[in-house]
Amino acid sequence: MNDSYKKLAKPYEIWLYIFALFPALVMFALIFLDTEGINLSEASLTFGNFSQLTESSTIIAFVNSLKFAFLSTLICAILGYFVAYRLFRSKFKNKFLILTILILPMWSNILLRIEALGNVMQPNNIITDILSKIGIHIGIDIKGTSVAVLIGLVFTYLPFMILPIYTALEKIDPSLEEASLDLGVTHLKTFWKVIFPLSIKGIVTGSIMVFLPCLSGFAIPEILGSGNIVLIGNVIDQFFRNMNYNIGALLALLILILILGAIFLVQKVDKEGETLL
Amino acid sequence: MGKVIIELQDIVKKFDGQVIVDHLNLTIYENEFLTLLGPSGCGKTTTLRMIAGFEKPDEGNVIINGKIFNNLPAYARPINTVFQKYALFPHLNVLDNVAFGLRNRSFKFLLSFFNEEELKKEIIQEKEQKGQNNKKITKLDLHKKINEKIIEEAKKSIELVKLSGFENRKIDQMSGGQQQRIALARAIVNRPQILLLDEPLSALDLKLRENMQYELKEIQRKLGITFIFVTHDQQEAMTMSDRIVVMKDGTIQQLGTPKNIYNEPQNRFVATFIGESNIIRGTYLEKNKISFMDAIFDCMGYTFNDNEPVDVVIRPEDFDIIPKENAKLTGTVTSCIFRGVFYEICADVHEMEFVIHAYEEIEVGKVIGLNVDPYEISLMKVNENE
């Protein structure tokens, strides 16, 4: 590439050095230190932080995180595939409009959305209010349960699943389906033998895009779980709040390694990054 | 000609109110190589897709083996297609692509496809060879045998298109010509009664295309199945077909053998679309006498009313260049281009430009005489709409 174009990326490169690489290195250093907050004057070298990894509270939070991330990814994959497939099959001309509508909630602040969702999950809210005015008295009280957290996760991350699956489906040459039918294979079998295998790329990409934020996020379990559900993100949050940067950094880097592994996996499955939009 | 295999009766197909195929009638026979030829948008591919079952006719019937097939889905028809862009499955290798059609059929279909009795005989033979006394044939035995047979058939089919040794290659590792062959193998492995080919050679380079033309014809002869070939390339149609259907605007312009269509075009469209031609307005004087360009020529084999105006078609290669003193037609050479086997000469004859193919170079500006043998003159009814 032309050298002069390389310069265009310089500002962002510097930005990355200052706000991503440098903090990551600091975090890496903190793992092996025992410090008072971020004050390095009384720092001493130690491997004691690693003992936190075997603490049952950490393990429970970690298992919880994996459980919730796995479940919401599964639910998102199933629901997302239905939606993407329906959209892919529809004869509607302006499919982009539908996609935009699906993404629309993502443009509002996530905390506001989750707070609002949490509100609906409590017995008294605006919807039950309106319904009771016309004589319907229903209300749910699930805030603080794992179901609420799961709903919140799926609600938030479903669009990230729909988009890559839809993209993968749209990229399938329609003549492949005709070829399969032409070879005497029924519609249902054609789906499983041709359409589905060719859309797996989209499912993998979408799964990573749902799994990772579910694994590391802490706002949704915090708000919808009312503190009852502790995920690894909440644990990290707690350590940082209590100025225990050493253990916080250790757990955060652990998550980072998981994320890098996942991105590596996506690259293996989807070499050209076709489904990443 | 053999038994009728497909009948298209009065087929009409419209897309968004636009007529694509207009009251088309066509009978196709067993074992023939039929080509639908026409410019793009003439309805040839749509006709093919209606036979394959991808489109339903708005009016009329598609009759295959004497049964009306209008509403039968594509997967239930004894027809396979070679698609224009091959439509090979990118997630499968060559062998799996070819075996796809057989592998995904029902057990019942496969039993009759491979002949149940023969399968059982083979299984018993194998058991005897292995010295097993258990003569009972289980469903598992049959499944195993069928799977073996499918791979065997697929390999045979791959061999037929000369790709043996490439079975485990991925599709994107194959060249265009090879992909073309895989597509063909994938279709014929199912032993269809009818094979449809939708401009399968259009993406190949000239040399490869010519080779494939001969090979396709050869394969058709070997397998003895009906080929319906769609193309816009008249050369291709001429080389391979038993019969050619020339189409334009959703209607059949002419149907006949390549020779018949080339030598006796029925209208201006056919005359100009198939090969080059010089078309001159003339008058049919009386039996075997035709006048054009102020001269009277002998002709043969055509019957019109006396003194009826007709269009005269003379192919460029049918002109003989003779000394101008003895000629009924004379013209001035305006250009002479070397085209390999022949020279393409343009001559101004009675203010009309003629294209003439000759074996000798003639200098520009020279006046030449032209002669045409009676059997080289073909006549067409005048159609004022054209």
Side-chain angles (χ1 to χ4, degrees):
Chain A
M1 218 213 281
N2 198 323
D3 267 354
S4 57
Y5 291 126
K6 273 187 186 167
K7 286 184 189 134
L8 290 175
K10 274 278 181 255
Y12 182 62
E13 214 175 293
I14 293 164
W15 177 278
L16 275 183
Y17 280 133
I18 299 174
F19 294 105
L21 191 65
F22 178 67
L25 289 175
V26 171
M27 277 168 74
F28 187 71
L30 283 173
I31 291 176
F32 304 103
L33 296 175
D34 185 18
T35 57
E36 283 289 326
I38 202 79
N39 183 359
L40 292 175
S41 57
E42 286 171 46
S44 60
L45 207 59
T46 173
F47 287 98
N49 298 326
F50 287 90
S51 67
Q52 183 65 37
L53 293 179
T54 52
E55 288 279 322
S56 70
S57 64
T58 312
I59 291 172
I60 288 171
F62 208 74
V63 169
N64 258 344
S65 277
L66 285 172
K67 207 163 68 186
F68 275 95
F70 182 77
L71 269 177
S72 28
T73 305
L74 189 71
I75 296 169
C76 280
I78 294 168
L79 293 181
Y81 203 97
F82 287 161
V83 176
Y85 194 74
R86 175 71 190 90
L87 189 61
F88 163 64
R89 283 287 172 217
S90 80
K91 298 225 160 47
F92 195 70
K93 288 253 162 55
N94 200 349
K95 290 180 182 178
F96 191 71
L97 183 76
I98 308 254
L99 284 176
T100 312
I101 292 170
L102 288 174
I103 308 170
L104 210 60
M106 280 159 59
W107 293 345
S108 65
N109 186 289
I110 178 174
L111 287 178
L112 291 179
R113 259 183 297 146
I114 295 302
E115 282 290 2
L117 189 65
N119 199 267
V120 175
M121 286 171 174
Q122 283 172 320
N124 292 313
N125 60 56
I126 185 162
I127 294 174
T128 54
D129 231 37
I130 293 167
L131 286 178
S132 67
K133 288 255 161 49
I134 55 169
I136 302 167
H137 297 278
I138 51 160
I140 46 168
D141 186 11
I142 55 168
K143 198 179 176 192
T145 64
S146 38
V147 176
V149 175
L150 209 53
I151 290 174
L153 289 172
V154 171
F155 172 78
T156 307
Y157 296 114
L158 189 57
F160 293 95
M161 184 64 92
I162 297 173
L163 285 177
I165 295 178
Y166 176 74
T167 315
L169 285 170
E170 273 299 316
K171 287 210 166 121
I172 299 174
D173 184 352
S175 68
L176 291 182
E177 199 181 2
E178 282 189 352
S180 173
L181 294 174
D182 186 76
L183 290 165
V185 180
T186 56
H187 285 279
L188 184 67
K189 221 162 180 189
T190 295
F191 172 79
W192 286 114
K193 294 284 177 177
V194 180
I195 306 293
F196 188 72
L198 289 173
S199 60
I200 283 177
K201 254 184 202 177
I203 301 175
V204 172
T205 307
S207 295
I208 300 287
M209 284 168 68
V210 172
F211 190 80
L212 292 183
C214 285
L215 187 71
S216 57
F218 64 94
I220 296 171
E222 174 93 28
I223 296 167
L224 295 180
S226 313
N228 301 333
I229 314 286
V230 179
L231 303 191
I232 193 75
N234 305 98
V235 175
I236 296 171
D237 178 46
Q238 282 306 314
F239 278 118
F240 277 115
R241 274 189 210 200
N242 298 337
M243 307 275 279
N244 192 340
Y245 291 106
N246 310 96
I247 294 173
L250 175 66
L251 295 178
L253 276 181
L254 201 67
I255 299 283
L256 188 68
I257 290 166
L258 276 176
I259 290 173
L260 287 176
I263 289 170
F264 182 71
L265 185 72
V266 175
Q267 281 203 323
K268 280 233 134 170
V269 178
D270 186 1
K271 284 196 186 83
E272 298 89 25
E274 282 170 8
T275 52
L276 279 171
L277 285 176
Chain B
M1 251 183 262
K3 236 175 75 193
V4 173
I5 190 158
I6 302 177
E7 254 188 288
L8 303 179
Q9 282 181 344
D10 223 20
I11 301 268
V12 178
K13 180 71 191 175
K14 293 174 194 163
F15 286 123
D16 300 326
Q18 204 187 344
V19 178
I20 303 296
V21 175
D22 192 4
H23 295 281
L24 183 108
N25 283 290
L26 181 62
T27 308
I28 301 165
Y29 299 93
E30 254 181 358
N31 301 352
E32 79 168 325
F33 199 125
L34 182 93
T35 300
L36 303 177
L37 175 66
S40 48
C42 73
K44 55 190 193 303
T45 296
T46 309
T47 307
L48 197 78
R49 288 173 62 82
M50 282 190 284
I51 298 173
F54 299 131
E55 309 283 355
K56 281 182 192 172
D58 293 328
E59 285 172 41
N61 290 322
V62 177
I63 300 172
I64 299 172
N65 292 328
K67 284 184 212 114
I68 296 182
F69 264 44
N70 289 7
N71 293 317
L72 204 69
Y75 59 79
R77 301 187 182 204
I79 297 175
N80 287 118
T81 309
V82 176
F83 292 84
Q84 188 169 11
K85 285 178 195 131
Y86 320 138
L88 297 170
F89 305 118
H91 57 300
L92 302 176
N93 67 16
V94 173
L95 184 75
D96 291 338
N97 258 283
V98 176
F100 188 88
L102 291 176
R103 272 194 188 145
N104 295 306
R105 289 298 186 105
S106 68
F107 184 59
K108 219 176 111 194
F109 174 89
L110 289 167
L111 275 185
S112 71
F113 184 86
F114 288 115
N115 190 341
E116 194 172 351
E117 292 308 311
E118 263 176 42
L119 286 177
K120 283 183 177 165
K121 238 187 261 168
E122 278 184 44
I123 293 171
I124 290 177
Q125 263 180 6
E126 275 170 28
K127 285 196 170 180
E128 276 170 357
Q129 275 174 6
K130 282 184 203 157
Q132 290 172 341
N133 293 325
N134 183 7
K135 288 275 166 62
K136 206 170 159 284
I137 295 169
T138 59
K139 228 176 168 185
L140 187 73
D141 287 333
L142 276 172
H143 272 291
K144 258 192 196 163
K145 191 77 208 163
I146 282 175
N147 279 336
E148 266 172 43
K149 281 274 176 189
I150 287 174
I151 290 174
E152 205 177 287
E153 286 289 313
K155 282 190 171 160
K156 250 194 250 168
S157 188
I158 290 169
E159 200 187 318
L160 188 71
V161 297
K162 300 178 182 160
L163 281 178
S164 294
F166 290 100
E167 283 89 351
N168 294 321
R169 286 277 191 100
K170 277 189 162 178
I171 293 305
D172 55 15
Q173 292 171 334
M174 306 295 274
S175 71
Q178 289 170 326
Q179 292 192 12
Q180 167 59 57
R181 284 157 194 270
I182 301 166
L184 186 64
R186 186 180 67 174
I188 57 181
V189 76
N190 305 290
R191 300 183 206 153
Q193 279 185 296
I194 303 153
L195 187 71
L196 309 178
L197 301 106
D198 185 8
E199 307 212 18
L201 307 181
S202 59
L204 305 181
D205 62 64
L206 184 68
K207 202 80 204 150
L208 211 54
R209 196 157 66 214
E210 282 171 354
N211 281 339
M212 275 310 282
Q213 287 173 9
Y214 294 113
E215 274 180 46
L216 273 179
K217 184 74 197 159
E218 197 53 42
I219 287 170
Q220 191 254 341
R221 240 182 251 138
K222 240 190 243 173
L223 298 174
I225 53 183
T226 306
F227 274 40
I228 305 177
F229 192 93
V230 160
T231 185
H232 61 261
D233 183 336
Q234 44 109 359
Q235 195 62 47
E236 212 165 88
M238 288 283 164
T239 316
M240 294 188 288
S241 318
D242 295 325
R243 290 197 302 157
I244 296 176
V245 180
V246 185
M247 289 181 72
K248 185 194 159 203
D249 300 334
T251 56
I252 294 177
Q253 301 293 309
Q254 190 170 355
L255 168 63
T257 62
K259 234 184 193 167
N260 171 261
I261 282 180
Y262 188 79
N263 290 335
E264 294 158 35
Q266 271 170 12
N267 59 36
R268 243 165 215 273
F269 174 77
V270 177
T272 48
F273 192 73
I274 313 254
E276 280 183 275
S277 29
N278 301 293
I279 301 176
I280 314 137
R281 183 57 55 87
T283 312
Y284 189 82
L285 294 174
E286 58 188 80
K287 192 168 167 35
N288 294 347
K289 285 276 180 244
I290 169 87
S291 120
F292 58 87
M293 292 190 154
D294 304 331
I296 296 171
F297 291 84
D298 292 328
C299 63
M300 47 202 280
Y302 292 91
T303 315
F304 291 94
N305 294 328
D306 287 358
N307 295 319
E308 187 182 335
V310 290
D311 278 329
V312 180
V313 180
I314 302 169
R315 298 288 183 185
E317 66 274 18
D318 291 340
F319 282 113
D320 298 320
I321 297 175
I322 54 171
K324 63 183 175 198
E325 292 77 26
N326 326 344
K328 288 180 189 168
L329 287 177
T330 55
T332 317
V333 176
T334 54
S335 75
C336 181
I337 302 163
F338 181 59
R339 294 288 294 267
V341 185
F342 57 86
Y343 288 91
E344 185 180 279
I345 297 163
C346 288
D348 185 33
V349 182
H350 287 241
E351 312 211 318
M352 238 187 99
E353 181 162 271
F354 275 18
V355 181
I356 302 154
H357 293 171
Y359 293 111
E360 276 144 44
E361 190 170 7
I362 296 173
E363 58 193 87
V364 173
K366 198 180 164 188
V367 177
I368 51 170
L370 295 170
N371 189 35
V372 193
D373 288 325
Y375 56 85
E376 311 273 35
I377 295 178
S378 46
L379 305 180
M380 309 183 300
K381 218 173 166 51
V382 172
N383 187 343
E384 293 302 338
N385 297 333
E386 286 174 16

